[in-house]
Amino acid sequence: MVDYHAANQSYQYGPSSGGNGAGGGGSMGDYMAQEDDWDRDLLLDPAWEKQQRKTFTAWCNSHLRKAGTQIENIDEDFRDGLKLMLLLEVISGERLPKPERGKMRVHKINNVNKALDFIASKGVKLVSIGAEEIVDGNAKMTLGMIWTIILRFAIQDISVEETSAKEGLLLWCQRKTAPYKNVNVQNFHISWKDGLAFNALIHRHRPELIEYDKLRKDDPVTNLNNAFEVAEKYLDIPKMLDAEDIVNTARPDEKAIMTYVSSFYHAFSGAQKAETAANRICKVLAVNQENEHLMEDYERLASDLLEWIRRTIPWLEDRVPQKTIQEMQQKLEDFRDYRRVHKPPKVQEKCQLEINFNTLQTKLRLSNRPAFMPSEGRMVSDINNCWQHLEQAEKGYEEWLLNEIRRLERLDHLAEKFRQKASIHEAWTDGKEAMLKHRDYETATLSDIKALIRKHEAFESDLAAHQDRVEQIAAIAQELNELDYYDSHNVNTRCQKICDQWDALGSLTHSRREALEKTEKQLETIDQLHLEYAKRAAPFNNWMESAMEDLQDMFIVHTIEEIEGLISAHDQFKSTLPDADREREAILAIHKEAQRIAESNHIKLSGSNPYTTVTPQIINSKWEKVQQLVPKRDHALLEEQSKQQSNEHLRRQFASQANIVGPWIQTKMEEIGRISIEMNGTLEDQLSHLKQYERSIVDYKPNLDLLEQQHQLIQEALIFDNKHTNYTMEHIRVGWEQLLTTIARTINEVENQILTRDAKGISQEQMQEFRASFNHFDKDHGGALGPEEFKACLISLGYDVENDRQGDAEFNRIMSVVDPNHSGLVTFQAFIDFMSRETTDTDTADQVIASFKVLAGDKNFITAEELRRELPPDQAEYCIARMAPYQGSDAVPGALDYKSFSTALYGESDL
């Protein structure tokens, strides 16, 4: 027979501190050490003994009835050990040794010892409880033994948040009853006297069984009976206590209350598992819903940006020229508004979109989800390609606008020059055809004929002198046609008319000469003096006309050197005026001499010089006109010189600022690259330093705005080149946009590292070790490692990837994780993601499937009704909308496939 008597004097009937109870070593022993043991009381409190007898008897019967039997008197019915062994077999699910069927005392003692041996085999150290006391019907020992069994098999395994069994059961009760008014569970005696705690436990798990709001705290008997009757009728928990016994006892028996409450715990343990499973699923679904929301935001923002780019590119690629400079300048102003107002927000949107995409991918990796693949055409690379197309169209558009304005300016200048020369020529040809067709030689005298011949020779000389102007007019018309002048039709019509008239004049001149020469034989006398006058007056007259034409000629220049060249040419022309004046005096002297001879010889002149229409009055009038045009030309050239000096000032002003801003941007780009490689201090320090750096860059923006203002002044002045700087406004703008984007991306990279570190529980020291290892092997500071560099980095961190078959296989596995696209490069973010996955755990598809299986009652499918009962409304509907119908042979109407749904959350194939 086993000796269950211990040498020590303290009496315990629970497991010792060295037992194997649930909830941690010593929990059951610690609890029992706090109990009022039986030796100290010697005699049970009568009220407590009554409660224990009833409770323990009902608890034993709740298990014995599964074997088709029960007990009536707890200290009598266990004396032969038979029902005691049967009770242990039912509650443990194990077989005990075969009992002895004899009626003698020794047989009974042997059976009880077999039961006590089994209890001891479960890690329970029995003190002062022997088989003889049980066989003799010792009530105190029997109740102590049953309490030990209850503790071991009904309470010991209860643990909430790693608490002891008693504390775990109490914490479970407190959590379940916390939302209910007038319930404050602090112990297993007084807190249960008014019955509300029992009712709250039932209502929390089965609200349809209890009308809790109708219970009154001042009616404890009704409350207790209501809970006990509902528990017995609907929950299969036998009534273990009487309401009157609890109410009429100052302090109800703690063991009886704990026994009864443990039955409620076990009855609702399935609901507890379901709640745990539901919490896991809710957490997973919340992550998925948030990620889907971020994906939808990305798709929407990407679509808006791409739509803006698609609308803008056709406008920038529209190369249909306008007819006037004013219309083209308006298009240039519209383009400036686009650069100043419309494009900068889109640059920010593009940068933010890339940041959002990187953050989303980081969150997906951290939550063990598949990477986000935007819909076709909305990848970051697609947006970058469209953006490059936009900037190419933008650059070409600006160049086209400026070239078109130059062309129109040139066209306007040529058209005005054409009209001016055409008007002069048309004025000269006016009446010439009638003159050439006149048959005055038929009735003229010999002297008249000779005069007509000389006059015609003078006209031919004049005609030849005007040939150059006609050629100039035709050349200008041709250039206007080549430059696609909008009024080319009228220009061509007028030019053709002039050319046709010129051909007619040539033909008429030839015909008249033949007629005069035919009659010249009959004419001998000619006034040589008039002839000499005519010959000298005609070229001089042509010179004055050319001079007036040149002095009134329009000019266009773009540099100070060009205007200074025109001024020099004009000064050279003015230096010839004294010689011209002497020629004028000589010509006038010839005319005066002819008059003097005629007067001295009493010759009556018929009137004007028969050889020319250029009279002294005309010569004097045109000379006076030349004298007036010279100072006007001086003034126009000086004004243009002032304008070009102003333009030169604008060039130097822009160049001075651009030569500061351009190198500053380049320096900052190099510094950011250096900072992103060095990254000293904690991630928060790095982030703070980068944000300060970003603020310093943003604070520099007024310098860029000043440069934009200076550039606008240059464009408004139609200045097209600047030899004082190699920086254009386009270069500055692109550099500035790249600088802002680079600092924003660098900040986002550090933020994602913080997000990874915090989500994965990576310490600052680990993060610094990862960064130091990565930077050490990133020899070219390119921000990525090649395969050999990455292998060396892994070896430095303790990975066995040496060049053997096993090491190569492990390295290839790792490379497939960090470089899924086989680019041959490993970025720092991919390296951090890999290291964080290697050192931390996340939820898996298997865990989510197991949680759904709990909610489904161990079925291979789940119904919409079960989802709505177990999950919050929004998450339940989320699952219902996405779960496929279950196709198994055990399917029922409305069955949903939770396995394929769970694996899809993690981007895996069906398990």
Side-chain angles (χ1 to χ4, degrees):
M1 183 174 68
V2 179
D3 182 9
Y4 291 95
H5 294 276
N8 57 38
Q9 297 300 313
S10 64
Y11 179 75
Q12 295 180 325
Y13 51 88
S16 70
S17 60
N20 298 319
S27 62
M28 290 298 291
D30 294 342
Y31 165 62
M32 294 307 301
Q34 298 171 7
E35 295 294 311
D36 294 327
D37 55 49
W38 300 76
D39 283 342
R40 190 163 55 213
D41 294 336
L42 296 179
L43 295 175
L44 285 169
D45 181 290
W48 287 7
E49 182 179 355
K50 179 181 177 181
Q51 293 176 14
Q52 287 185 13
R53 279 180 177 276
K54 182 173 181 63
T55 302
F56 291 179
T57 299
W59 184 85
C60 291
N61 284 335
S62 69
H63 295 285
L64 286 172
R65 67 184 179 183
K66 300 175 184 176
T69 186
Q70 64 179 16
I71 62 172
E72 298 295 337
N73 190 324
I74 197 169
D75 50 357
E76 291 292 333
D77 293 350
F78 286 139
R79 290 178 64 183
D80 60 3
L82 295 176
K83 288 189 176 180
L84 179 60
M85 293 177 70
L86 181 61
L87 173 66
L88 291 172
E89 285 185 344
V90 172
I91 62 178
S92 69
E94 301 179 24
R95 296 291 294 178
L96 271 69
K98 186 175 180 180
E100 298 180 12
R101 295 297 180 180
K103 302 295 184 181
M104 298 178 62
R105 176 179 175 83
V106 66
H107 297 141
K108 297 179 181 179
I109 290 175
N110 287 342
N111 287 339
V112 173
N113 271 329
K114 291 177 180 179
L116 296 177
D117 285 342
F118 180 78
I119 296 172
S121 72
K122 297 303 179 181
V124 179
K125 184 176 181 181
L126 296 169
V127 180
S128 300
I129 299 179
E132 292 84 353
E133 286 87 346
I134 305 302
V135 173
D136 292 339
N138 185 317
K140 174 181 177 182
M141 294 303 175
T142 301
L143 291 174
M145 178 189 65
I146 297 301
W147 174 241
T148 300
I149 294 172
I150 293 171
L151 278 176
R152 173 60 184 84
F153 293 101
I155 298 177
Q156 178 176 328
D157 291 335
I158 299 174
S159 177
V160 179
E161 293 186 354
E162 301 183 358
T163 59
S164 68
K166 177 182 177 181
E167 292 171 346
L169 183 59
L170 184 62
L171 179 58
W172 179 80
C173 295
Q174 290 171 340
R175 287 185 172 177
K176 295 300 180 182
T177 61
Y180 294 88
K181 63 181 180 180
N182 297 325
V183 178
N184 183 17
V185 177
Q186 298 296 326
N187 50 55
F188 285 110
H189 39 79
I190 301 300
S191 298
W192 302 84
K193 283 192 66 174
D194 59 12
L196 291 178
F198 284 107
N199 283 277
L201 278 180
I202 298 172
H203 185 269
R204 179 64 182 273
H205 295 91
R206 296 289 299 278
E208 75 278 6
L209 301 179
I210 298 288
E211 294 184 287
Y212 186 83
D213 292 338
K214 293 184 178 181
L215 301 178
R216 300 191 349 256
K217 187 174 180 63
D218 59 359
D219 191 5
V221 174
T222 300
N223 297 340
L224 289 166
N225 283 330
N226 181 67
F228 296 165
E229 291 168 3
V230 169
E232 187 169 37
K233 183 176 180 180
Y234 297 103
L235 304 179
D236 199 27
I237 300 175
K239 185 176 181 182
M240 298 183 184
L241 292 170
D242 288 325
E244 291 77 6
D245 293 340
I246 295 177
V247 173
N248 296 330
T249 302
R251 185 175 184 270
D253 180 59
E254 187 173 50
K255 300 175 181 62
I257 298 294
M258 282 183 67
T259 301
Y260 204 173
V261 171
S262 70
S263 298
F264 283 87
Y265 175 86
H266 290 294
F268 296 131
S269 61
Q272 179 69 26
K273 292 179 182 178
E275 181 178 346
T276 302
N279 288 338
R280 176 185 291 276
I281 292 171
C282 288
K283 175 185 174 184
V284 172
L285 293 179
V287 171
N288 235 54
Q289 288 172 308
E290 180 185 1
N291 290 340
E292 286 188 0
H293 177 69
L294 292 175
M295 294 175 191
E296 291 169 359
D297 284 349
Y298 174 87
E299 291 281 351
R300 177 178 52 79
L301 292 174
S303 296
D304 291 345
L305 182 57
L306 287 171
E307 178 60 26
W308 178 82
I309 293 173
R310 292 190 183 103
R311 290 198 315 269
T312 305
I313 287 176
W315 173 68
L316 292 172
E317 291 179 341
D318 179 14
R319 300 296 193 270
V320 178
Q322 302 300 313
K323 293 183 178 180
T324 65
I325 290 181
Q326 291 73 22
E327 291 173 318
M328 292 304 297
Q329 285 177 334
Q330 181 59 50
K331 291 177 76 70
L332 181 60
E333 186 60 33
D334 293 341
F335 179 74
R336 290 173 183 156
D337 287 341
Y338 156 80
R339 291 305 304 265
R340 290 194 304 264
V341 178
H342 302 292
K343 186 184 177 186
K346 298 303 177 182
V347 173
Q348 295 299 319
E349 287 180 18
K350 175 177 174 293
C351 179
Q352 190 61 46
L353 197 65
E354 293 181 11
I355 290 172
N356 291 351
F357 180 85
N358 293 335
T359 301
L360 172 60
Q361 298 293 38
T362 299
K363 288 187 175 182
L364 290 172
R365 288 192 296 270
L366 295 179
S367 58
N368 203 20
R369 302 304 194 272
F372 168 53
M373 285 296 295
S375 57
E376 185 176 357
R378 293 180 175 85
M379 292 286 291
V380 171
S381 59
D382 296 326
I383 295 173
N384 287 335
N385 290 337
C386 288
W387 192 264
Q388 289 178 1
H389 187 187
L390 174 75
E391 291 187 332
Q392 289 171 358
E394 179 181 303
K395 182 179 180 181
Y397 187 71
E398 186 174 29
E399 291 176 352
W400 174 75
L401 282 174
L402 295 174
N403 289 334
E404 190 61 24
I405 289 174
R406 293 172 189 168
R407 186 183 70 83
L408 290 175
E409 184 183 42
R410 172 68 175 162
L411 282 175
D412 283 354
H413 170 72
L414 287 174
E416 183 61 27
K417 191 170 186 178
F418 173 82
R419 286 189 289 270
Q420 185 181 54
K421 288 184 177 293
S423 297
I424 293 173
H425 178 77
E426 288 166 347
W428 177 84
T429 60
D430 184 40
K432 293 295 189 293
E433 285 189 28
M435 178 197 74
L436 292 173
K437 292 177 180 179
H438 192 213
R439 303 175 68 85
D440 54 344
Y441 55 83
E442 295 179 349
T443 59
T445 63
L446 181 60
S447 61
D448 292 334
I449 290 297
K450 289 187 176 292
L452 289 176
I453 291 175
R454 301 297 181 269
K455 181 178 180 182
H456 188 71
E457 289 176 349
F459 172 77
E460 287 180 327
S461 177
D462 197 9
L463 185 68
H466 281 78
Q467 176 68 34
D468 182 62
R469 181 184 293 115
V470 174
E471 291 175 354
Q472 289 178 12
I473 290 172
I476 293 172
Q478 179 63 29
E479 189 171 359
L480 288 172
N481 284 319
E482 291 173 354
L483 294 176
D484 194 23
Y485 183 53
Y486 75 94
D487 198 25
S488 292
H489 174 72
N490 290 331
V491 170
N492 291 335
T493 300
R494 190 173 184 181
C495 180
Q496 188 62 46
K497 182 179 179 181
I498 290 172
C499 291
D500 292 343
Q501 186 184 42
W502 186 255
D503 291 339
L505 287 176
S507 178
L508 290 172
T509 299
H510 179 71
S511 298
R512 184 172 179 83
R513 166 170 281 278
E514 287 181 345
L516 290 174
E517 286 178 349
K518 185 178 180 180
T519 59
E520 185 180 11
K521 295 176 182 180
Q522 305 170 5
L523 304 175
E524 297 177 350
T525 306
I526 186 170
D527 190 343
Q528 293 296 329
L529 195 59
H530 278 184
L531 182 58
E532 183 181 358
Y533 169 87
K535 288 183 177 181
R536 295 182 65 175
F540 185 72
N541 182 63
N542 287 334
W543 176 85
M544 287 192 295
E545 288 181 348
S546 297
M548 288 188 293
E549 184 176 345
D550 290 341
L551 290 172
Q552 298 177 84
D553 191 17
M554 298 178 63
F555 57 84
I556 179 170
V557 295
H558 295 98
T559 66
I560 190 68
E561 290 79 10
E562 291 177 355
I563 188 61
E564 287 176 350
L566 290 179
I567 291 174
S568 175
H570 183 61
D571 289 341
Q572 186 175 358
F573 166 76
K574 289 193 292 185
S575 67
T576 65
L577 290 178
D579 290 339
D581 191 36
R582 284 190 290 272
E583 176 66 10
R584 181 183 66 86
E585 292 292 344
I587 292 171
L588 293 178
I590 292 172
H591 177 72
K592 291 178 181 179
E593 179 65 16
Q595 286 183 332
R596 187 190 66 77
I597 293 174
E599 290 174 359
S600 62
N601 294 287
H602 305 286
I603 298 173
K604 185 177 181 181
L605 298 177
S606 60
S608 60
N609 191 321
Y611 304 111
T612 181
T613 59
V614 181
T615 66
Q617 291 79 13
I618 291 175
I619 291 176
N620 286 331
S621 174
K622 290 183 177 180
W623 179 257
E624 184 178 354
K625 181 67 174 178
V626 169
Q627 295 297 314
Q628 293 171 353
L629 289 175
V630 168
K632 290 182 179 180
R633 185 71 168 184
D634 288 336
H635 180 71
L637 291 172
L638 289 176
E639 279 189 342
E640 184 62 29
Q641 185 183 39
S642 175
K643 174 184 174 183
Q644 291 304 322
Q645 288 173 344
S646 174
N647 289 352
E648 183 68 10
H649 171 72
L650 291 177
R651 288 190 183 93
R652 292 181 181 277
Q653 179 179 264
F654 175 84
S656 174
Q657 182 72 1
N659 289 337
I660 295 173
V661 173
W664 184 89
I665 291 176
Q666 182 62 33
T667 299
K668 293 302 177 183
M669 287 291 290
E670 294 171 357
E671 290 178 357
I672 292 173
R674 188 164 58 254
I675 291 172
S676 65
I677 293 174
E678 295 173 353
M679 290 298 183
N680 298 319
T682 67
L683 290 176
E684 285 75 8
D685 293 340
Q686 296 170 20
L687 184 61
S688 174
H689 178 58
L690 284 171
K691 288 187 175 180
Q692 288 178 352
Y693 204 81
E694 183 182 39
R695 285 193 293 273
S696 71
I697 291 174
V698 173
D699 291 342
Y700 197 76
K701 183 63 165 55
N703 295 283
L704 205 72
D705 294 338
L706 175 60
L707 198 62
E708 285 281 8
Q709 294 171 5
Q710 294 170 349
H711 180 254
Q712 183 169 345
L713 292 176
I714 282 180
Q715 287 200 324
E716 288 173 352
L718 296 178
I719 300 172
F720 304 112
D721 51 23
N722 193 339
K723 64 182 180 181
H724 303 297
T725 180
N726 292 325
Y727 293 98
T728 67
M729 197 63 229
E730 179 64 24
H731 294 153
I732 298 294
R733 291 189 191 113
V734 171
W736 178 255
E737 292 170 0
Q738 290 177 345
L739 180 61
L740 292 177
T741 301
T742 300
I743 188 65
R745 286 174 178 165
T746 305
I747 289 173
N748 179 245
E749 178 184 348
V750 176
E751 290 174 338
N752 284 341
Q753 291 177 26
I754 293 174
L755 183 63
T756 301
R757 181 199 65 191
D758 294 343
K760 296 296 186 179
I762 301 174
S763 68
Q764 182 65 38
E765 291 74 16
Q766 284 178 303
M767 185 64 76
Q768 289 177 339
E769 180 185 357
F770 295 158
R771 168 55 83 177
S773 299
F774 188 89
N775 286 345
H776 176 75
F777 292 99
D778 185 12
K779 302 299 185 183
D780 60 355
H781 305 300
L785 301 180
E788 293 303 318
E789 293 174 328
F790 182 55
K791 178 180 284 189
C793 183
L794 290 175
I795 293 173
S796 74
L797 293 171
Y799 281 82
D800 185 10
V801 290
E802 294 289 354
N803 292 324
D804 55 35
R805 178 176 298 178
Q806 183 175 357
D808 289 342
E810 175 63 9
F811 180 70
N812 290 333
R813 179 192 71 81
I814 295 174
M815 281 299 293
S816 68
V817 174
V818 299
D819 184 22
N821 297 325
H822 306 292
S823 65
L825 293 174
V826 180
T827 65
F828 182 67
Q829 186 62 47
F831 173 67
I832 288 297
D833 289 342
F834 167 73
M835 295 306 298
S836 64
R837 283 198 298 273
E838 291 289 302
T839 56
T840 59
D841 295 323
T842 59
D843 58 89
T844 66
D846 288 337
Q847 292 173 324
V848 175
I849 291 173
S851 298
F852 272 118
K853 192 167 187 177
V854 171
L855 299 187
D858 208 34
K859 299 191 299 295
N860 290 324
F861 59 84
I862 194 167
T863 65
E865 179 182 357
E866 288 170 332
L867 287 169
R868 291 189 176 103
R869 184 178 69 238
E870 300 294 347
L871 298 179
D874 60 331
Q875 295 187 335
E877 298 305 325
Y878 177 85
C879 292
I880 293 169
R882 287 163 174 79
M883 281 186 182
Y886 176 67
Q887 303 295 334
S889 59
D890 54 339
V892 300
L896 300 174
D897 188 351
Y898 61 76
K899 290 184 179 179
S900 60
F901 171 75
S902 300
T903 55
L905 289 177
Y906 293 84
E908 303 172 8
S909 60
D910 290 347
L911 296 178

